[in-house]
Amino acid sequence: MSARQEKSIFFDAIEIESEADRSHFLRDACGDNPELLASVQALLREHFRSENPVDRPVLVDLENTAEFPGNDSASFVYTPGTTIGVYKLREQIGEGGFGLVFVADQETPFRRRVALKIIKPGMDSPEVIARFEAERQALALMNHANIARVYDAGMTSHGHPYFVMELVRGVQLIAFCDRHKLSTTDRLELFVSICQAVQYAHQKGIIHRDLKPSNVLITLENGKPIPKVIDFGVAKAINQTLTDRTIYTRFASMIGTPAYMSPEQAEMSNLDVDTRSDIYSLGVLLYEMLTGSTPLVQDRVAKVGFDELRRIIREEEPPRPSLRLSTLSNEIVTTVSANRSLEPARLLSTVRGDLDWIVMKALDKDRNRRYATASALADDVTRYLNQEPVDARPPSTMYRFSRFARKHKLAIVTTSIVSLSVLFGLAISIWQARVATIALRKAQISESIANDAKSELEQFTEHLKQANNLLTSGYAHVDARNWAEAHAAFTTATQLQPRYYPVWIGRGSLYAKLGLWDQAAADYQRALELGSPIDRAEFLGVSQLFLYTRNQTAYQSLHAQLSVTSIGDLSSGAIARGLLIDQTVSTSVAQQIADIAELRIAECTATPDDNEPRRRRERSGMPLGARLYIAGWAHYRAGNYDQAVQRLQEANDDRRTWSGHGTAYPLLAMTYFKMGKTDQAKAALEKSRQQLNTWLHDSLDGPDVAIPIPWFDWIEFQIEYERAELRINGKLPPVNLMQAKRTARALSAVE
């Protein structure tokens, strides 16, 4: 015979009013088990006897407490080991405003462990005893899975009322939720069960009036959390006479816990307190389950006086849960979010909206605007969990559609996909005819471009063959001093200039345009050895080329010639850029280059009505963007950082006249770094990386093997980019595989 089976049959039997029907039910339920039948019948006799202590009033005369037995009741202390009736007290597990709670062992008619609540010694005033009597009688009426069940009631030998109830081994609500890091959904499901328990009590005519986390214990049954509402010590009957004796409640005595108390409880007027007071307390519980804090924080409750506390409860509107979360400190909101297994931003977005509306409706100061019942509150929370429109939110077509769409997301997505597919197919059919025509035109244009590129490549290779034929014929190896003899030995068909270094320059230029830097540097070095002057236009970028290929001997030789150039020659782009690439260039020289560059910019940007500047523009082949670039570079070397930033940005933006736009990004990065603007420096450096990859991609993607910008601009960009990476990040950039691939492709095309 199991105690669980015995209890189940007993509780079912007491619901049957007819004694004959009850006897018939017992015979069927107990079957061939006479011991089970006898035990249940004993329980029923005890339950239905007329002198049952649950049905017997505790108070004989509230006005004369001297009639209670035991004159020393006020000084008597209940301790573990004390026997009260058939119950032996064990450890004390709780203490309320006027009651003590013990674990106790029941010895007859069967053994079980229970919770026994007893009036505090010295607290047995008529008012307190009346409330205690209301509690035990209220609990005796209720039989719900989420409400602690009452078993027995009586009076101690010292005149203290007590009742015996189900021992709930559980953890208080908020502590359990945080300890197990329950998600918002799990917390809401627990809250729905609590609402259902309160609704059951309301149907029995009982108002709890002190709902708070410590009065809701959570136990685990088969791994599932089950809430148990306890402590109806301040309950009030609606249509019964359980608490008639509480009408003498002392004025200015609030029943309940302030942080969870409804405005009408704090009013303490003739206004009747009804079930909607518990709705308010449930709203506070939900608020705390969501945010980790009550609307009226405990610190404030402790600091204000009694009258101010009543005013706050009656008049001040609580902040929305999402607003409370947004105002918490980072440390607190991180803890609250972690206890709900969410990121802070995700928790805020979850609470904002429907949950805000539900909580604020339950916490309305006007009880007529709250949920009418605990069941209505539970239903709205359930609607939220089911992604349905909630009653708390003011209805709107858009809102209801959004909730409908969220609930039926799969069906709506499927329908939308089908509809879009039909429309898309129709659009494709109309578009394809147009695309076919455009594709044909593009193919024709691409073929033309490919043919042009092929032709240009053929010209490149043909020129290289001619140069190689000349250079390998033995003619180019003649020393310059024997030029007259060598020249007479060749036919005039070679069309060579009086000096033969142009052949080396020509081939070096071809190699440079293909990006074959080592080959180009070798040819230019040979041209210098044969006496080529450095002020030729073909020498633009040669100094940079020697520096980039680590040809120190040639670089130092060329740079020595550049350094002794007269100031007037600084207007030459080749000389100016050759000097600026050297990190040791003096500030004074850089400033002179900057001044001349600014003068050339002014001439280039003069109005067309000014004939002289126009003629100067016509005489000069240098684009405006290149002038801006040289000016910005010179200002950077001279330490004029603001002017450098302005000119370098203008150079990058000049897409109309300068094909080398974008090469100024590394210089711009280093200028910002010199100015202490690290973020802007890193942004410009990132632009440099992107620009490099774009150029490399373009040179690999098209049919042409030449680099997409003038080769001397490319060389300067590479050098300054490496310097910028080293200065800003402290290391050289990684090897660019795209560049290696592009070089291999160029070599393959030449061979």
Side-chain angles (χ1 to χ4, degrees):
M1 178 181 67
S2 69
R4 183 182 296 275
Q5 184 181 15
E6 179 184 84
K7 289 165 60 178
S8 176
I9 296 173
F10 168 72
F11 286 123
D12 289 338
I14 62 176
E15 299 293 332
I16 303 174
E17 296 183 1
S18 169
E19 186 173 351
D21 292 342
R22 192 184 307 120
S23 298
H24 182 73
F25 167 77
L26 289 176
R27 286 195 298 273
D28 290 342
C30 297
D32 298 331
N33 192 336
E35 293 182 2
L36 177 60
L37 177 61
S39 178
V40 174
Q41 286 176 337
L43 289 173
L44 289 172
R45 284 194 299 272
E46 182 68 17
H47 177 76
F48 287 110
R49 64 189 176 94
S50 58
E51 67 274 16
N52 192 314
V54 171
D55 300 319
R56 173 171 52 81
V58 176
L59 306 179
V60 178
D61 184 358
L62 289 174
E63 303 299 327
N64 186 6
T65 57
E67 295 189 16
F68 289 124
N71 294 330
D72 60 343
S73 63
S75 60
F76 186 81
V77 177
Y78 293 93
T79 59
T82 302
T83 299
I84 299 176
V86 297
Y87 305 99
K88 187 173 184 179
L89 302 184
R90 297 299 182 187
E91 72 270 20
Q92 181 179 331
I93 58 173
E95 181 174 354
F98 51 86
L100 300 173
V101 184
F102 290 88
V103 174
D105 288 331
Q106 180 179 347
E107 299 178 350
T108 59
F110 49 81
R111 299 182 63 84
R112 63 181 171 187
R113 185 150 288 184
V114 297
L116 189 147
K117 186 169 185 177
I118 188 171
I119 284 286
K120 276 186 179 181
M123 292 291 292
D124 47 352
S125 67
E127 175 187 344
V128 173
I129 294 176
R131 290 184 190 161
F132 192 89
E133 180 187 6
E135 180 179 12
R136 70 186 183 91
Q137 294 195 44
L139 284 172
L141 293 174
M142 290 185 283
N143 180 18
H144 190 276
N146 299 116
I147 298 177
R149 185 170 297 157
V150 67
Y151 295 142
D152 194 5
M155 185 180 295
T156 69
S157 59
H158 291 82
H160 299 137
Y162 70 88
F163 74 89
V164 181
M165 60 186 294
E166 173 186 0
L167 177 62
V168 180
R169 294 287 191 184
V171 181
Q172 68 102 340
L173 176 64
I174 301 299
F176 179 88
C177 292
D178 290 347
R179 182 180 302 171
H180 291 81
K181 299 189 183 303
L182 295 189
S183 66
T184 301
T185 298
D186 293 336
R187 290 168 186 251
L188 293 176
E189 289 174 350
L190 269 182
F191 181 75
V192 168
S193 298
I194 297 168
C195 289
Q196 291 168 347
V198 174
Q199 176 67 23
Y200 174 84
H202 289 173
Q203 291 172 340
K204 291 294 185 179
I206 306 300
I207 309 170
H208 193 290
R209 293 208 292 178
D210 195 22
L211 288 169
K212 55 186 176 182
S214 59
N215 282 341
V216 181
L217 303 181
I218 308 298
T219 63
L220 290 175
E221 293 185 9
N222 298 322
K224 180 181 179 181
I226 303 296
K228 293 278 188 178
V229 183
I230 65 171
D231 199 355
F232 279 81
V234 290
K236 178 180 178 183
I238 301 174
N239 296 317
Q240 301 183 34
T241 59
L242 293 179
T243 56
D244 287 345
R245 294 187 178 92
T246 65
I247 61 174
Y248 299 106
T249 301
R250 178 170 51 88
F251 178 74
S253 175
M254 291 194 297
I255 299 176
T257 304
Y260 302 86
M261 184 179 295
S262 68
E264 54 267 30
Q265 283 179 273
E267 185 70 35
M268 297 190 308
S269 65
N270 293 328
L271 179 65
D272 185 35
V273 175
D274 58 22
T275 56
R276 289 170 294 184
S277 179
D278 281 351
I279 303 301
Y280 187 93
S281 299
L282 286 171
V284 178
L285 268 184
L286 180 57
Y287 193 108
E288 189 171 7
M289 292 174 75
L290 294 173
T291 68
S293 168
T294 54
L296 178 58
V297 294
Q298 298 290 348
D299 290 346
R300 192 177 182 194
V301 172
K303 292 178 181 178
V304 300
F306 179 77
D307 290 335
E308 176 63 10
L309 178 59
R310 291 178 57 221
R311 185 200 65 78
I312 293 172
I313 297 173
R314 295 194 316 268
E315 299 176 7
E316 286 193 8
E317 292 293 336
R320 299 188 312 276
S322 61
L323 181 60
R324 172 58 58 81
L325 285 172
S326 66
T327 57
L328 295 176
S329 66
N330 290 336
E331 182 179 355
I332 295 176
V333 77
T334 299
T335 302
V336 171
S337 302
N339 288 338
R340 287 148 184 82
S341 302
L342 286 174
E343 294 295 326
R346 180 62 178 163
L347 175 61
L348 186 60
S349 64
T350 299
V351 173
R352 183 185 291 118
D354 285 348
L355 290 178
D356 271 340
W357 285 102
I358 291 172
V359 172
M360 297 312 291
K361 182 176 176 67
L363 294 180
D364 202 303
K365 297 296 183 184
D366 184 351
R367 60 181 179 175
N368 293 316
R369 293 201 297 264
R370 293 179 205 149
Y371 290 98
T373 63
S375 179
L377 173 55
D379 290 344
D380 226 10
V381 174
T382 302
R383 277 189 284 272
Y384 170 82
L385 292 172
N386 294 335
Q387 298 184 349
E388 298 172 352
V390 299
D391 289 345
R393 182 187 283 269
S396 69
T397 303
M398 189 63 192
Y399 165 70
R400 292 190 177 279
F401 175 76
S402 67
R403 301 306 294 184
F404 176 83
R406 184 178 297 180
K407 182 178 182 180
H408 303 284
K409 183 186 299 182
L410 180 60
I412 289 176
V413 169
T414 303
T415 304
S416 300
I417 290 174
V418 172
S419 301
L420 288 173
S421 299
V422 173
L423 293 174
F424 184 72
L426 181 61
I428 288 295
S429 300
I430 298 172
W431 177 69
Q432 278 180 339
R434 178 178 175 83
V435 168
T437 304
I438 296 174
L440 179 60
R441 292 178 59 189
K442 285 185 175 180
Q444 294 171 344
I445 295 172
S446 297
E447 183 179 3
S448 175
I449 293 174
N451 290 335
D452 292 343
K454 182 179 180 182
S455 176
E456 184 177 353
L457 178 59
E458 289 174 351
Q459 292 177 11
F460 262 73
T461 55
E462 183 63 27
H463 291 162
L464 280 172
K465 287 179 182 178
Q466 293 175 4
N468 286 331
N469 288 336
L470 288 171
L471 295 174
T472 58
S473 65
Y475 169 70
H477 294 280
V478 180
D479 189 86
R481 291 171 297 181
N482 300 322
W483 168 254
E485 297 178 10
H487 186 267
F490 288 88
T491 66
T492 57
T494 58
Q495 298 178 355
L496 293 177
Q497 298 181 21
R499 302 293 296 272
Y500 58 89
Y501 53 76
V503 181
W504 296 96
I505 294 174
R507 194 175 71 167
S509 176
L510 290 172
Y511 279 136
K513 290 177 181 178
L514 290 171
L516 302 176
W517 314 119
D518 290 331
Q519 294 90 326
D523 282 355
Y524 275 111
Q525 183 178 8
R526 183 57 178 157
L528 285 174
E529 291 171 353
L530 294 174
S532 174
I534 65 171
D535 59 350
R536 294 173 56 91
E538 294 91 338
F539 266 75
L540 179 61
V542 174
S543 178
Q544 293 86 318
L545 178 62
F546 290 154
L547 184 62
Y548 184 68
T549 57
R550 310 297 194 269
N551 192 336
Q552 291 296 322
T553 302
Y555 172 74
Q556 291 172 1
S557 174
L558 178 59
H559 199 267
Q561 299 180 58
L562 291 174
S563 299
V564 298
T565 303
S566 64
I567 297 300
D569 289 335
L570 291 178
S571 59
S572 165
I575 295 176
R577 293 167 78 158
L579 288 172
L580 290 173
I581 199 69
D582 186 1
Q583 289 181 299
T584 63
V585 64
S586 66
T587 303
S588 61
V589 172
Q591 186 62 58
Q592 292 175 33
I593 297 174
D595 293 340
I596 294 174
E598 291 291 346
L599 179 61
R600 297 294 181 260
I601 293 171
E603 293 175 352
C604 195
T605 56
T607 60
D609 294 335
D610 186 350
N611 294 327
E612 179 61 23
R614 180 192 297 175
R615 286 195 296 272
R616 290 180 183 174
R617 287 199 303 274
E618 292 172 351
R619 286 199 302 268
S620 174
M622 188 183 299
L624 174 61
R627 296 176 186 274
L628 293 167
Y629 170 67
I630 292 174
W633 197 358
H635 281 306
Y636 164 66
R637 293 293 189 203
N640 310 322
Y641 299 129
D642 290 331
Q643 292 132 297
V645 167
Q646 178 184 349
R647 290 308 190 195
L648 292 172
Q649 287 177 337
E650 291 172 347
N652 279 336
D653 294 339
D654 183 20
R655 298 175 180 272
R656 187 174 59 86
T657 69
W658 189 32
S659 58
H661 63 84
T663 59
Y665 281 124
L667 288 170
L668 190 60
M670 288 189 288
T671 305
Y672 278 132
F673 191 75
K674 282 283 189 178
M675 298 170 73
K677 299 180 178 180
T678 307
D679 291 341
Q680 291 94 322
K682 290 185 176 180
L685 188 58
E686 180 59 29
K687 283 281 190 181
S688 303
R689 297 190 193 103
Q690 295 172 3
Q691 186 67 74
L692 173 61
N693 289 330
T694 299
W695 284 331
L696 288 171
H697 182 272
D698 290 345
S699 67
L700 288 172
D701 194 46
D704 193 0
V705 296
I707 55 178
I709 62 173
W711 69 268
F712 37 82
D713 291 333
W714 176 276
I715 286 288
E716 287 173 357
F717 174 86
Q718 294 275 29
I719 294 172
E720 296 300 344
Y721 172 56
E722 289 186 0
R723 289 174 176 174
E725 283 277 11
L726 189 61
R727 177 160 296 180
I728 296 173
N729 292 329
K731 59 182 180 180
L732 290 172
V735 176
N736 196 310
L737 297 179
M738 289 178 64
Q739 183 161 311
K741 184 177 180 182
R742 198 214 62 76
T743 303
R745 180 179 174 183
L747 280 171
S748 175
V750 171
E751 293 170 358

